[in-house]
Structure formats: C-alpha cells, structure tokens
Amino acid sequence: QVQLVESGGGSVQAGGSLRLTCAASGYTGSSYYMGWFRQAPGKEREGVARFNSVGTPTYAASVEGRFTVSKDNAKNTLYLQMNSLKPEDTAMYYCAADDHLVRLSIGNAAYWGQGTQVTVSS
C-alpha cells in the first residue's frame, strides 16, 4: 500500500518561504509520478507542481518562478520549495502519486497524502 506523508507547512508572513516534504512509502519512488496540489477554502483543488513524462518540472502559472519542485528517488521523497509566498498561496497542500501521468495531471491520482496547511499573512 502506497502511503504519502506531507510535512513542512506552517504560518508565514508574505514574502517568506517554506519547504514542503512528501515522504512516500510502499513503492519505489522512480516508478510513480508525483506532484503537489493545493486547495483553498471554498475553491477547487488545483495542481501546483509536478514532473512531466521526461522529468521536467511543470508549474501552475500562479507559482511559476516562486516555487521549485524537486525529488530524491533514493529517499522516495518529493519536495516543494516555496519562496516569495503570497496570501493567495494560503491553502492545504497535498502530495499525490500515480503510475499514470495523465491521472496525476488531472488531479485524479490514486494516492494522496493527508495534507499540510500553509497560511500566509499579509
């Protein structure tokens, strides 16, 4: 059974930084596609960052240039470095994984973490 555990969320002021971590277990990290999603209160869940089929990171337009996704396959861990945080980045952030990239990209991944809250104050 694949398990994903996020950590690293918290409360910061606008302009601050946080680094989220997603520790995966139950499979070999390189055999699954992984990505970050977020959901703010009253809004739909949206994709934040993931890797495409050739391993290139892709980002939502709203975070491009501020967020950086990375992974350590040896540790089965996915990271999200978030800089220049804005109040509109406030959301629950989720890690997701699937062995089909399309399912991950449309937010229909088979496996999800419990989420970690990020709150950015102005």
Side-chain angles (χ1 to χ4, degrees):
Q1 180 70 21
V2 175
Q3 291 186 326
L4 305 173
V5 180
E6 302 98 331
S7 61
S11 296
V12 297
Q13 290 189 330
S17 298
L18 286 171
R19 188 192 194 204
L20 305 185
T21 298
C22 173
S25 61
Y27 72 95
T28 302
S30 60
S31 63
Y32 275 71
Y33 298 100
M34 297 178 69
W36 290 99
F37 293 78
R38 68 184 181 186
Q39 187 168 20
K43 295 186 177 181
E44 293 187 355
R45 185 172 59 199
E46 63 173 344
V48 176
R50 60 172 175 83
F51 291 94
N52 65 13
S53 59
V54 294
T56 302
T58 63
Y59 301 95
S62 57
V63 307
E64 182 84 50
R66 300 187 297 121
F67 290 12
T68 302
V69 62
S70 61
K71 58 182 177 178
D72 186 334
N73 289 333
K75 296 182 178 180
N76 287 357
T77 302
L78 186 73
Y79 304 97
L80 185 68
Q81 178 66 43
M82 305 185 296
N83 298 328
S84 302
L85 282 162
K86 303 176 180 180
E88 51 263 45
D89 295 318
T90 295
M92 185 71 79
Y93 283 71
Y94 297 92
C95 174
D98 201 295
D99 59 357
H100 285 75
L101 181 58
V102 171
R103 286 202 296 253
L104 177 69
S105 66
I106 64 174
N108 197 30
Y111 304 102
W112 294 84
Q114 83 288 350
T116 186
Q117 178 68 38
V118 172
T119 303
V120 185
S121 59
S122 57

